[in-house]
Amino acid sequence: MSADFTDNKQIFINRHPLVQHKISMLRDSRTGTNEFRQLVEEIGMLMGYEALSDLPTKEIEIETPIEKCMTPVIAGRKLAVVPILRAGLGMVTGILALTPTAKVGHIGLYRDPDTHEPVEYYCKLPDPISERTIVVTDPMLATGGSACDAIRMIKEHGGVHIKFMCIIAAPEGLERLNKAHPDVQIYVGHLDRCLNDHAYIMPGLGDAGDRIFGTK
Ligand code: PRP
Ligand code: URA
């Protein structure tokens, strides 16, 4: 029996009809690169809106054309968006549309085709990172190896306040990530059935990086 995430306070599984509709369009093998890229960006923005709903605010005084009033603005920690290369890049512009002043870090990982284990090739993060709220993006959470490694690398650089956002997750990867990093809030666009023998998500959407960048 697969794990039940319903009562897990760190896991947020999206049910919004707009997000679900766009994910269905992504899955369709007839969706071309241009539309795919646009959908990933839009889903990034919609999911970012949800993931950032707990940002602290403070009241400031503003003078409207009618009168002075106290009104809320974002306060506290600054943001960093950290895509896992390559595919995570596709979600960044959607989040930056919401938070244009966020800094962007990059973590380069690819899955070894035989072992399915992540191989690191790049890491550049805003410095210092410890005071920032960090949103890690990757459309696919399959075995969870890449996400676990990326978050370990961010923690080794001092990152503390970390959220992870993916468009599609397999139960295996979600469970592994939550066990390895129970302090990290995980935002999932859709929870799929399982992995196949090649560690691809079923039904999934295929290879996210190849579909975003038109490679193969
Ligand atoms: C994909 C995806 C994730 C990883 C998920 O990247 O974007 O990073 O696989 O798999 P996991 O949960 O089993 O680690 P890939 O390794 O294909 O690299 P790419 O984005 O450069 O194509
Ligand atoms: N990476 C992808 O791009 N897709 C999957 O289904 C699994 C890993």
Side-chain angles (χ1 to χ4, degrees):
M1 206 175 86
S2 63
D4 181 5
F5 303 105
T6 330
D7 294 327
N8 190 317
K9 297 272 183 286
Q10 293 292 80
I11 296 176
F12 303 84
I13 299 179
N14 194 292
R15 312 222 180 273
H16 197 291
L18 285 174
V19 173
Q20 300 312 308
H21 178 89
K22 288 176 194 296
I23 292 176
S24 299
M25 301 297 101
L26 275 186
R27 292 187 192 280
D28 192 331
S29 57
R30 295 168 303 180
T31 300
T33 304
N34 191 17
E35 191 187 352
F36 193 93
R37 208 179 276 151
Q38 203 172 323
L39 285 162
V40 168
E41 181 179 330
E42 288 167 3
I43 295 167
M45 180 162 70
L46 292 168
M47 291 187 64
Y49 177 78
E50 182 200 12
L52 299 175
S53 65
D54 61 354
L55 285 184
T57 58
K58 64 177 180 193
E59 295 279 315
I60 61 162
E61 188 179 85
I62 296 274
E63 194 162 352
T64 79
I66 310 297
E67 63 171 2
K68 280 187 182 163
C69 69
M70 297 302 289
T71 188
V73 293
I74 302 293
R77 275 195 297 276
K78 295 192 166 74
L79 282 171
V81 184
V82 179
I84 301 178
L85 306 180
R86 290 174 300 165
L89 275 177
M91 300 165 76
V92 173
T93 39
I95 302 173
L96 289 181
L98 304 172
T99 61
T101 58
K103 296 259 199 288
V104 181
H106 295 87
I107 291 186
L109 292 172
Y110 70 87
R111 284 202 322 180
D112 181 286
D114 298 319
T115 64
H116 308 135
E117 285 303 312
V119 181
E120 297 174 21
Y121 62 88
Y122 192 72
C123 180
K124 181 84 180 173
L125 300 171
D127 186 24
I129 191 106
S130 56
E131 291 305 314
R132 292 182 182 269
T133 294
I134 303 156
V135 181
V136 182
T137 62
D138 194 330
M140 310 306 277
L141 180 64
T143 66
S146 304
C148 287
D149 262 23
I151 290 168
R152 174 188 53 75
M153 290 159 79
I154 292 169
K155 286 182 175 175
E156 284 169 3
H157 282 78
V160 182
H161 316 282
I162 305 171
K163 295 168 185 270
F164 178 81
M165 253 175 67
C166 63
I167 297 179
I168 295 182
E172 296 91 324
L174 187 53
E175 193 171 4
R176 176 170 169 185
L177 178 57
N178 180 237
K179 279 213 172 106
H181 298 288
D183 54 310
V184 171
Q185 293 176 322
I186 308 172
Y187 293 83
V188 176
H190 194 96
L191 182 61
D192 271 15
R193 200 168 74 249
C194 61
L195 298 175
N196 68 13
D197 292 344
H198 303 286
Y200 271 77
I201 301 175
M202 297 202 293
L205 51 72
D207 188 302
D210 282 344
R211 294 198 65 190
I212 291 172
F213 295 107
T215 47
K216 185 71 201 146

